Amino acid sequence: MHRFANPTRFLRLANALLPWLGVAAVGLLGYGLWLGLLNSPADYQQGETVRIMYVHVPAAWVALAGYSTLALASAAFLVWKHPLADLAARAASPVGAGFTAIALVTGALWGQPMWGTWWVWDARLTSVLVLFFLYLGHMALTNAFDDPERGGKAGAVLALVGVVNLPIIKFSVDWWNTLHQPASVLRMGGSTIDPAMLTPLFVMAGGYFAVFAVALLLRIRALYAERRLRQLRLSLPDA
Amino acid sequence: MSGFLALIGRDLRLARRQGADVAMTLAFFVVVVALFPLGLGPTPALLARIAPGVLWVTALLAAMLSFDRLFQQDADDGGLDLLALSGLPLAVVALAKAVAHWLTTGLPTVLLAPLLAVTLDLPAAAYPALMAGLLLGTPTVSLLGTVGAALVVGARRAGVLVALIVLPLTIPVLIFGVAAVEAGSAGLETRPHLLLLAALLAGAVPLAPLAAGAALRQAVE
Amino acid sequence: MTGTDQLDVRNLSASRGGRPVFRDLSFSLASGGALRLAGRNGGGKTTLLRIVAGLGRADTGEVLWNGEPVTDDREAHAGRVGWLGHADALKTALTARENVEAALRVAGRPTDRLGDALDALALTRLAELPAGWLSSGQRRRTALARVLASGASLWLLDEPTVGLDAASVAALERAIAAHRAEGGMVIAATHTALDLGDDAVDLDPAAHADAGRLPEAVA
């Protein structure tokens, strides 16, 4: 933790990693899309629509990973009070919200041909929607204060409250869904997934995580610059 | 303990003196429930079908209206500093505030709900589950709202913000609360739903004041 | 009050909104001592008072009570502090007496000094009126009565004389003198000519704004 807690050292590391992560992101996404869209079998039930899975499922994974990042950074900020952890938490929530939005939109696009409607109150979709709300609340709260430190701390507490609540919300939504939708809904993936589909899925997931890392580091760098600017302006003499 | 009770007593006395604040929250509850028959038509079967959801959702929204002032008033007049210097841990201060909030907002909502349920044609069999569910669920809402209220002290647009961050957290309460009423309507077993609501409350009683106390410490510093 | 307490502030540095207000500030205060915080706006008087009270957080340094850091036991330190913030912290719907009484009860303090405190600040006749009906000077006196009635040994007063007339300032000075005679301590941030009594020391936190400046001990 403390080895990277020095902002300059962190920035040097980030600057060194960013080009590699960028190349990995472009490469993996390109290869994954080629595999997923052109070089993998269509599903015997879902047909070509199954290819949406390759852009949808990794987005949902990253959406959850984003919230874990947010929660870990928040915990680190509250425990060690290090400003970099605050910046990481602030950076994680819009990026995570973006991937959550991608998961919701691609889910809707998949739902249209499969279920005949853009939106279904399916347990998974609903849970992801609530996750999106949690991200929105976190973003709104961190930016609602004139003093950025107060916003960061309040956001950190909220992120941890959200982590405790997420499994409860997930459980309640599943329960609600089984009450109201007893008919079995066709689920994506499942254990019987063909290995020919797994490869593109994992390649795409790698690409998504690389994009997440790039966006996170870029945002941390930008937020750090913004904070430095603020500090410099504050340290100007009164006159 | 005596400080804890004294704080609840002070807030209850304040609420009694400023009775209009509580009355407004309840009036909001009544008005919004009355909008549904006006918007959806007076068909009794439809109203009975949507009554559990309407009552619960409206009770949640009414509670949200009262949270932004929960600590902001104390923060504005300097009272929050006094509470921080009262020798009570801030988590205990938050718990006292949540209790006072529930007594002045949650409990009246619970008492008002059956009257409104009559206007929505809720089946008689559902009333016990409605009341029991609200009695178990609204304290959890007050506790979660206390966390939100502590987090938004000093924030811009605190009223909207507190609803935005608290409402998603109340989804489990809403789901189990409504499920209990629906099970009651259908003549099914309501115990599992009520037990889940009780479990949520049992979790919220120790955890929410801790989070709210941490948020209050940040607001003071 | 035992009359042998000691408050030590050691090498305190603080910032507000990311901007340093003072650095390496140190002073000590013994039972019966008084300290006046003076200096320009934004000089850190309120920041210093809040840190000594345990409300604010210092970047570095510590506040010691009889040698123990006050952050070790916030609740115990709160019991020693009689706090008057720049806001009066009165509920307008409660009477002046109810305001003071509620604050004492929430803090678990005895209420036996309440009558004397109201008397000392000439509030007895106003005490049954809602605080919302009082003038700003009368509200300030009510807030001061809360400090007097607290029985706390360390009074921390942020601009106590705002809105007070000459007679009330004199009453406050008498109360401060009595408190010090009992072995209490007073730290007051004030712009006006409030007489804290003999041997009161002046401190300007803003004079400690520059890095590298040697801390100067007072009292």
Side-chain angles (χ1 to χ4, degrees), chain B residues 56 67 98-99 101-103 106-107 110 132-146 173 197 200-201 204-205 208:
Chain B
W56 261 100
F67 286 131
V99 171
H101 177 270
W102 183 75
L103 287 173
L107 186 58
V110 177
L134 283 168
L135 272 175
L136 287 168
T138 48
T140 309
V141 175
S142 286
L143 285 162
L144 290 171
T146 306
V173 178
L197 282 174
L200 291 179
L201 180 57
V205 164

PDB file of all heavy atoms in Angstrom, chain B residues 56 67 98-99 101-103 106-107 110 132-146 173 197 200-201 204-205 208:
ATOM      1  N   TRP B  56     -46.700   1.275   0.475  1.00  0.00           N
ATOM      2  CA  TRP B  56     -45.297   1.163   0.873  1.00  0.00           C
ATOM      3  C   TRP B  56     -44.420   2.193   0.173  1.00  0.00           C
ATOM      4  O   TRP B  56     -43.595   2.842   0.801  1.00  0.00           O
ATOM      5  CB  TRP B  56     -44.781  -0.258   0.601  1.00  0.00           C
ATOM      6  CG  TRP B  56     -44.795  -1.096   1.844  1.00  0.00           C
ATOM      7  CD1 TRP B  56     -45.736  -2.017   2.201  1.00  0.00           C
ATOM      8  CD2 TRP B  56     -43.841  -1.069   2.903  1.00  0.00           C
ATOM      9  NE1 TRP B  56     -45.423  -2.561   3.416  1.00  0.00           N
ATOM     10  CE2 TRP B  56     -44.259  -1.998   3.870  1.00  0.00           C
ATOM     11  CE3 TRP B  56     -42.675  -0.345   3.138  1.00  0.00           C
ATOM     12  CZ2 TRP B  56     -43.550  -2.229   5.049  1.00  0.00           C
ATOM     13  CZ3 TRP B  56     -41.962  -0.573   4.311  1.00  0.00           C
ATOM     14  CH2 TRP B  56     -42.406  -1.504   5.248  1.00  0.00           C
ATOM     15  N   PHE B  67     -35.832  13.635   5.933  1.00  0.00           N
ATOM     16  CA  PHE B  67     -34.461  13.317   6.335  1.00  0.00           C
ATOM     17  C   PHE B  67     -33.485  14.476   6.198  1.00  0.00           C
ATOM     18  O   PHE B  67     -32.551  14.594   6.979  1.00  0.00           O
ATOM     19  CB  PHE B  67     -33.928  12.125   5.542  1.00  0.00           C
ATOM     20  CG  PHE B  67     -34.513  10.828   5.985  1.00  0.00           C
ATOM     21  CD1 PHE B  67     -35.035   9.927   5.073  1.00  0.00           C
ATOM     22  CD2 PHE B  67     -34.558  10.503   7.330  1.00  0.00           C
ATOM     23  CE1 PHE B  67     -35.587   8.743   5.479  1.00  0.00           C
ATOM     24  CE2 PHE B  67     -35.103   9.313   7.750  1.00  0.00           C
ATOM     25  CZ  PHE B  67     -35.624   8.430   6.827  1.00  0.00           C
ATOM     26  N   ALA B  98     -32.515   8.657  15.178  1.00  0.00           N
ATOM     27  CA  ALA B  98     -33.324   7.719  14.402  1.00  0.00           C
ATOM     28  C   ALA B  98     -34.577   7.331  15.179  1.00  0.00           C
ATOM     29  O   ALA B  98     -35.671   7.259  14.611  1.00  0.00           O
ATOM     30  CB  ALA B  98     -32.497   6.472  14.053  1.00  0.00           C
ATOM     31  N   VAL B  99     -34.423   7.110  16.485  1.00  0.00           N
ATOM     32  CA  VAL B  99     -35.587   6.750  17.310  1.00  0.00           C
ATOM     33  C   VAL B  99     -36.596   7.897  17.304  1.00  0.00           C
ATOM     34  O   VAL B  99     -37.799   7.691  17.094  1.00  0.00           O
ATOM     35  CB  VAL B  99     -35.143   6.419  18.760  1.00  0.00           C
ATOM     36  CG1 VAL B  99     -36.363   6.263  19.658  1.00  0.00           C
ATOM     37  CG2 VAL B  99     -34.309   5.147  18.787  1.00  0.00           C
ATOM     38  N   HIS B 101     -36.898  10.210  15.082  1.00  0.00           N
ATOM     39  CA  HIS B 101     -37.487  10.325  13.745  1.00  0.00           C
ATOM     40  C   HIS B 101     -38.590   9.305  13.542  1.00  0.00           C
ATOM     41  O   HIS B 101     -39.658   9.603  13.017  1.00  0.00           O
ATOM     42  CB  HIS B 101     -36.412  10.149  12.671  1.00  0.00           C
ATOM     43  CG  HIS B 101     -36.967  10.195  11.272  1.00  0.00           C
ATOM     44  ND1 HIS B 101     -37.403   9.071  10.604  1.00  0.00           N
ATOM     45  CD2 HIS B 101     -37.212  11.236  10.446  1.00  0.00           C
ATOM     46  CE1 HIS B 101     -37.870   9.424   9.423  1.00  0.00           C
ATOM     47  NE2 HIS B 101     -37.767  10.732   9.302  1.00  0.00           N
ATOM     48  N   TRP B 102     -38.335   8.065  13.997  1.00  0.00           N
ATOM     49  CA  TRP B 102     -39.349   7.042  13.798  1.00  0.00           C
ATOM     50  C   TRP B 102     -40.607   7.364  14.611  1.00  0.00           C
ATOM     51  O   TRP B 102     -41.727   7.227  14.122  1.00  0.00           O
ATOM     52  CB  TRP B 102     -38.818   5.656  14.188  1.00  0.00           C
ATOM     53  CG  TRP B 102     -39.844   4.601  13.899  1.00  0.00           C
ATOM     54  CD1 TRP B 102     -40.172   4.105  12.676  1.00  0.00           C
ATOM     55  CD2 TRP B 102     -40.717   3.974  14.837  1.00  0.00           C
ATOM     56  NE1 TRP B 102     -41.198   3.200  12.784  1.00  0.00           N
ATOM     57  CE2 TRP B 102     -41.549   3.104  14.096  1.00  0.00           C
ATOM     58  CE3 TRP B 102     -40.879   4.058  16.219  1.00  0.00           C
ATOM     59  CZ2 TRP B 102     -42.531   2.314  14.711  1.00  0.00           C
ATOM     60  CZ3 TRP B 102     -41.853   3.276  16.812  1.00  0.00           C
ATOM     61  CH2 TRP B 102     -42.667   2.408  16.074  1.00  0.00           C
ATOM     62  N   LEU B 103     -40.416   7.823  15.848  1.00  0.00           N
ATOM     63  CA  LEU B 103     -41.583   8.122  16.691  1.00  0.00           C
ATOM     64  C   LEU B 103     -42.410   9.263  16.103  1.00  0.00           C
ATOM     65  O   LEU B 103     -43.639   9.274  16.235  1.00  0.00           O
ATOM     66  CB  LEU B 103     -41.129   8.486  18.106  1.00  0.00           C
ATOM     67  CG  LEU B 103     -40.619   7.316  18.953  1.00  0.00           C
ATOM     68  CD1 LEU B 103     -40.044   7.801  20.268  1.00  0.00           C
ATOM     69  CD2 LEU B 103     -41.754   6.319  19.207  1.00  0.00           C
ATOM     70  N   GLY B 106     -42.308   7.793  11.403  1.00  0.00           N
ATOM     71  CA  GLY B 106     -42.611   6.410  11.064  1.00  0.00           C
ATOM     72  C   GLY B 106     -43.885   5.914  11.727  1.00  0.00           C
ATOM     73  O   GLY B 106     -44.789   5.397  11.055  1.00  0.00           O
ATOM     74  N   LEU B 107     -43.978   6.102  13.034  1.00  0.00           N
ATOM     75  CA  LEU B 107     -45.141   5.598  13.775  1.00  0.00           C
ATOM     76  C   LEU B 107     -46.453   6.221  13.287  1.00  0.00           C
ATOM     77  O   LEU B 107     -47.424   5.493  13.041  1.00  0.00           O
ATOM     78  CB  LEU B 107     -44.937   5.825  15.273  1.00  0.00           C
ATOM     79  CG  LEU B 107     -45.987   5.220  16.201  1.00  0.00           C
ATOM     80  CD1 LEU B 107     -46.078   3.709  15.999  1.00  0.00           C
ATOM     81  CD2 LEU B 107     -45.659   5.517  17.660  1.00  0.00           C
ATOM     82  N   VAL B 110     -47.444   4.509  10.158  1.00  0.00           N
ATOM     83  CA  VAL B 110     -47.990   3.177  10.396  1.00  0.00           C
ATOM     84  C   VAL B 110     -49.455   3.283  10.820  1.00  0.00           C
ATOM     85  O   VAL B 110     -50.304   2.508  10.377  1.00  0.00           O
ATOM     86  CB  VAL B 110     -47.178   2.450  11.496  1.00  0.00           C
ATOM     87  CG1 VAL B 110     -47.790   1.092  11.801  1.00  0.00           C
ATOM     88  CG2 VAL B 110     -45.729   2.292  11.064  1.00  0.00           C
ATOM     89  N   ALA B 132     -48.029  -5.036  10.633  1.00  0.00           N
ATOM     90  CA  ALA B 132     -46.815  -5.665  11.175  1.00  0.00           C
ATOM     91  C   ALA B 132     -45.613  -5.337  10.287  1.00  0.00           C
ATOM     92  O   ALA B 132     -44.517  -5.030  10.777  1.00  0.00           O
ATOM     93  CB  ALA B 132     -47.016  -7.176  11.279  1.00  0.00           C
ATOM     94  N   GLY B 133     -45.835  -5.364   8.981  1.00  0.00           N
ATOM     95  CA  GLY B 133     -44.747  -5.074   8.051  1.00  0.00           C
ATOM     96  C   GLY B 133     -44.249  -3.656   8.211  1.00  0.00           C
ATOM     97  O   GLY B 133     -43.035  -3.400   8.260  1.00  0.00           O
ATOM     98  N   LEU B 134     -45.193  -2.705   8.314  1.00  0.00           N
ATOM     99  CA  LEU B 134     -44.780  -1.312   8.481  1.00  0.00           C
ATOM    100  C   LEU B 134     -44.087  -1.106   9.825  1.00  0.00           C
ATOM    101  O   LEU B 134     -43.102  -0.376   9.923  1.00  0.00           O
ATOM    102  CB  LEU B 134     -45.998  -0.386   8.372  1.00  0.00           C
ATOM    103  CG  LEU B 134     -46.517  -0.132   6.949  1.00  0.00           C
ATOM    104  CD1 LEU B 134     -47.879   0.550   6.991  1.00  0.00           C
ATOM    105  CD2 LEU B 134     -45.531   0.715   6.147  1.00  0.00           C
ATOM    106  N   LEU B 135     -44.605  -1.773  10.863  1.00  0.00           N
ATOM    107  CA  LEU B 135     -43.981  -1.626  12.184  1.00  0.00           C
ATOM    108  C   LEU B 135     -42.546  -2.134  12.184  1.00  0.00           C
ATOM    109  O   LEU B 135     -41.679  -1.576  12.843  1.00  0.00           O
ATOM    110  CB  LEU B 135     -44.792  -2.386  13.238  1.00  0.00           C
ATOM    111  CG  LEU B 135     -45.938  -1.617  13.896  1.00  0.00           C
ATOM    112  CD1 LEU B 135     -46.721  -2.528  14.823  1.00  0.00           C
ATOM    113  CD2 LEU B 135     -45.411  -0.413  14.669  1.00  0.00           C
ATOM    114  N   LEU B 136     -42.287  -3.204  11.415  1.00  0.00           N
ATOM    115  CA  LEU B 136     -40.931  -3.757  11.372  1.00  0.00           C
ATOM    116  C   LEU B 136     -40.062  -3.026  10.343  1.00  0.00           C
ATOM    117  O   LEU B 136     -38.847  -2.930  10.505  1.00  0.00           O
ATOM    118  CB  LEU B 136     -40.977  -5.246  11.022  1.00  0.00           C
ATOM    119  CG  LEU B 136     -41.472  -6.169  12.111  1.00  0.00           C
ATOM    120  CD1 LEU B 136     -41.748  -7.559  11.531  1.00  0.00           C
ATOM    121  CD2 LEU B 136     -40.444  -6.264  13.227  1.00  0.00           C
ATOM    122  N   GLY B 137     -40.697  -2.523   9.290  1.00  0.00           N
ATOM    123  CA  GLY B 137     -39.925  -1.962   8.185  1.00  0.00           C
ATOM    124  C   GLY B 137     -39.587  -0.488   8.344  1.00  0.00           C
ATOM    125  O   GLY B 137     -38.475  -0.071   8.014  1.00  0.00           O
ATOM    126  N   THR B 138     -40.542   0.311   8.865  1.00  0.00           N
ATOM    127  CA  THR B 138     -40.263   1.747   8.940  1.00  0.00           C
ATOM    128  C   THR B 138     -39.104   2.098   9.885  1.00  0.00           C
ATOM    129  O   THR B 138     -38.380   3.052   9.591  1.00  0.00           O
ATOM    130  CB  THR B 138     -41.533   2.540   9.327  1.00  0.00           C
ATOM    131  OG1 THR B 138     -42.147   1.925  10.447  1.00  0.00           O
ATOM    132  CG2 THR B 138     -42.508   2.596   8.168  1.00  0.00           C
ATOM    133  N   PRO B 139     -38.873   1.350  10.988  1.00  0.00           N
ATOM    134  CA  PRO B 139     -37.670   1.684  11.767  1.00  0.00           C
ATOM    135  C   PRO B 139     -36.385   1.491  10.962  1.00  0.00           C
ATOM    136  O   PRO B 139     -35.446   2.281  11.089  1.00  0.00           O
ATOM    137  CB  PRO B 139     -37.722   0.708  12.945  1.00  0.00           C
ATOM    138  CG  PRO B 139     -39.149   0.310  13.066  1.00  0.00           C
ATOM    139  CD  PRO B 139     -39.690   0.324  11.675  1.00  0.00           C
ATOM    140  N   THR B 140     -36.352   0.447  10.115  1.00  0.00           N
ATOM    141  CA  THR B 140     -35.168   0.251   9.269  1.00  0.00           C
ATOM    142  C   THR B 140     -34.997   1.438   8.330  1.00  0.00           C
ATOM    143  O   THR B 140     -33.890   1.925   8.112  1.00  0.00           O
ATOM    144  CB  THR B 140     -35.320  -1.046   8.450  1.00  0.00           C
ATOM    145  OG1 THR B 140     -35.667  -2.101   9.338  1.00  0.00           O
ATOM    146  CG2 THR B 140     -34.033  -1.382   7.730  1.00  0.00           C
ATOM    147  N   VAL B 141     -36.128   1.927   7.785  1.00  0.00           N
ATOM    148  CA  VAL B 141     -36.067   3.088   6.892  1.00  0.00           C
ATOM    149  C   VAL B 141     -35.535   4.305   7.658  1.00  0.00           C
ATOM    150  O   VAL B 141     -34.689   5.051   7.151  1.00  0.00           O
ATOM    151  CB  VAL B 141     -37.450   3.372   6.287  1.00  0.00           C
ATOM    152  CG1 VAL B 141     -37.423   4.648   5.466  1.00  0.00           C
ATOM    153  CG2 VAL B 141     -37.907   2.206   5.430  1.00  0.00           C
ATOM    154  N   SER B 142     -36.014   4.494   8.888  1.00  0.00           N
ATOM    155  CA  SER B 142     -35.519   5.625   9.688  1.00  0.00           C
ATOM    156  C   SER B 142     -34.015   5.504   9.922  1.00  0.00           C
ATOM    157  O   SER B 142     -33.286   6.493   9.857  1.00  0.00           O
ATOM    158  CB  SER B 142     -36.232   5.681  11.047  1.00  0.00           C
ATOM    159  OG  SER B 142     -37.545   6.149  10.883  1.00  0.00           O
ATOM    160  N   LEU B 143     -33.546   4.273  10.191  1.00  0.00           N
ATOM    161  CA  LEU B 143     -32.119   4.076  10.462  1.00  0.00           C
ATOM    162  C   LEU B 143     -31.288   4.348   9.203  1.00  0.00           C
ATOM    163  O   LEU B 143     -30.261   5.037   9.260  1.00  0.00           O
ATOM    164  CB  LEU B 143     -31.878   2.650  10.961  1.00  0.00           C
ATOM    165  CG  LEU B 143     -32.309   2.408  12.410  1.00  0.00           C
ATOM    166  CD1 LEU B 143     -32.457   0.915  12.688  1.00  0.00           C
ATOM    167  CD2 LEU B 143     -31.288   3.011  13.366  1.00  0.00           C
ATOM    168  N   LEU B 144     -31.752   3.818   8.050  1.00  0.00           N
ATOM    169  CA  LEU B 144     -31.013   4.063   6.808  1.00  0.00           C
ATOM    170  C   LEU B 144     -31.036   5.548   6.465  1.00  0.00           C
ATOM    171  O   LEU B 144     -30.045   6.120   6.010  1.00  0.00           O
ATOM    172  CB  LEU B 144     -31.633   3.253   5.659  1.00  0.00           C
ATOM    173  CG  LEU B 144     -31.445   1.745   5.735  1.00  0.00           C
ATOM    174  CD1 LEU B 144     -32.276   1.051   4.666  1.00  0.00           C
ATOM    175  CD2 LEU B 144     -29.973   1.396   5.544  1.00  0.00           C
ATOM    176  N   GLY B 145     -32.195   6.176   6.713  1.00  0.00           N
ATOM    177  CA  GLY B 145     -32.307   7.599   6.435  1.00  0.00           C
ATOM    178  C   GLY B 145     -31.387   8.423   7.314  1.00  0.00           C
ATOM    179  O   GLY B 145     -30.857   9.456   6.879  1.00  0.00           O
ATOM    180  N   THR B 146     -31.165   7.955   8.539  1.00  0.00           N
ATOM    181  CA  THR B 146     -30.249   8.665   9.429  1.00  0.00           C
ATOM    182  C   THR B 146     -28.834   8.652   8.864  1.00  0.00           C
ATOM    183  O   THR B 146     -28.119   9.650   8.939  1.00  0.00           O
ATOM    184  CB  THR B 146     -30.274   8.004  10.821  1.00  0.00           C
ATOM    185  OG1 THR B 146     -31.628   7.958  11.269  1.00  0.00           O
ATOM    186  CG2 THR B 146     -29.460   8.789  11.814  1.00  0.00           C
ATOM    187  N   VAL B 173     -36.434  -3.577   2.018  1.00  0.00           N
ATOM    188  CA  VAL B 173     -37.569  -3.335   2.917  1.00  0.00           C
ATOM    189  C   VAL B 173     -38.854  -3.275   2.099  1.00  0.00           C
ATOM    190  O   VAL B 173     -39.872  -3.876   2.459  1.00  0.00           O
ATOM    191  CB  VAL B 173     -37.376  -2.020   3.703  1.00  0.00           C
ATOM    192  CG1 VAL B 173     -38.578  -1.745   4.590  1.00  0.00           C
ATOM    193  CG2 VAL B 173     -36.104  -2.075   4.533  1.00  0.00           C
ATOM    194  N   LEU B 197     -38.115  -9.002   7.326  1.00  0.00           N
ATOM    195  CA  LEU B 197     -38.119  -7.585   7.715  1.00  0.00           C
ATOM    196  C   LEU B 197     -37.480  -7.417   9.093  1.00  0.00           C
ATOM    197  O   LEU B 197     -36.707  -6.481   9.319  1.00  0.00           O
ATOM    198  CB  LEU B 197     -39.551  -7.055   7.748  1.00  0.00           C
ATOM    199  CG  LEU B 197     -40.181  -6.715   6.397  1.00  0.00           C
ATOM    200  CD1 LEU B 197     -41.649  -6.346   6.575  1.00  0.00           C
ATOM    201  CD2 LEU B 197     -39.436  -5.572   5.721  1.00  0.00           C
ATOM    202  N   LEU B 200     -33.759  -7.619   8.745  1.00  0.00           N
ATOM    203  CA  LEU B 200     -33.183  -6.368   8.231  1.00  0.00           C
ATOM    204  C   LEU B 200     -33.060  -5.352   9.357  1.00  0.00           C
ATOM    205  O   LEU B 200     -32.047  -4.656   9.489  1.00  0.00           O
ATOM    206  CB  LEU B 200     -34.065  -5.785   7.121  1.00  0.00           C
ATOM    207  CG  LEU B 200     -34.128  -6.554   5.805  1.00  0.00           C
ATOM    208  CD1 LEU B 200     -35.075  -5.849   4.836  1.00  0.00           C
ATOM    209  CD2 LEU B 200     -32.741  -6.657   5.194  1.00  0.00           C
ATOM    210  N   LEU B 201     -34.110  -5.274  10.180  1.00  0.00           N
ATOM    211  CA  LEU B 201     -34.083  -4.325  11.299  1.00  0.00           C
ATOM    212  C   LEU B 201     -32.967  -4.691  12.286  1.00  0.00           C
ATOM    213  O   LEU B 201     -32.214  -3.817  12.743  1.00  0.00           O
ATOM    214  CB  LEU B 201     -35.444  -4.310  12.003  1.00  0.00           C
ATOM    215  CG  LEU B 201     -35.582  -3.381  13.200  1.00  0.00           C
ATOM    216  CD1 LEU B 201     -35.260  -1.950  12.820  1.00  0.00           C
ATOM    217  CD2 LEU B 201     -36.993  -3.462  13.785  1.00  0.00           C
ATOM    218  N   ALA B 204     -29.831  -3.516  10.881  1.00  0.00           N
ATOM    219  CA  ALA B 204     -29.702  -2.064  10.762  1.00  0.00           C
ATOM    220  C   ALA B 204     -29.465  -1.409  12.125  1.00  0.00           C
ATOM    221  O   ALA B 204     -28.770  -0.393  12.208  1.00  0.00           O
ATOM    222  CB  ALA B 204     -30.953  -1.472  10.105  1.00  0.00           C
ATOM    223  N   VAL B 205     -30.033  -1.989  13.190  1.00  0.00           N
ATOM    224  CA  VAL B 205     -29.922  -1.334  14.506  1.00  0.00           C
ATOM    225  C   VAL B 205     -28.464  -1.135  14.934  1.00  0.00           C
ATOM    226  O   VAL B 205     -28.093  -0.038  15.344  1.00  0.00           O
ATOM    227  CB  VAL B 205     -30.722  -2.101  15.583  1.00  0.00           C
ATOM    228  CG1 VAL B 205     -30.312  -1.676  16.975  1.00  0.00           C
ATOM    229  CG2 VAL B 205     -32.213  -1.859  15.383  1.00  0.00           C
ATOM    230  N   ALA B 208     -26.314   0.740  11.142  1.00  0.00           N
ATOM    231  CA  ALA B 208     -26.619   2.077  10.626  1.00  0.00           C
ATOM    232  C   ALA B 208     -26.104   3.187  11.554  1.00  0.00           C
ATOM    233  O   ALA B 208     -25.509   4.158  11.068  1.00  0.00           O
ATOM    234  CB  ALA B 208     -28.124   2.208  10.380  1.00  0.00           C
TER     235      ALA B 208
END
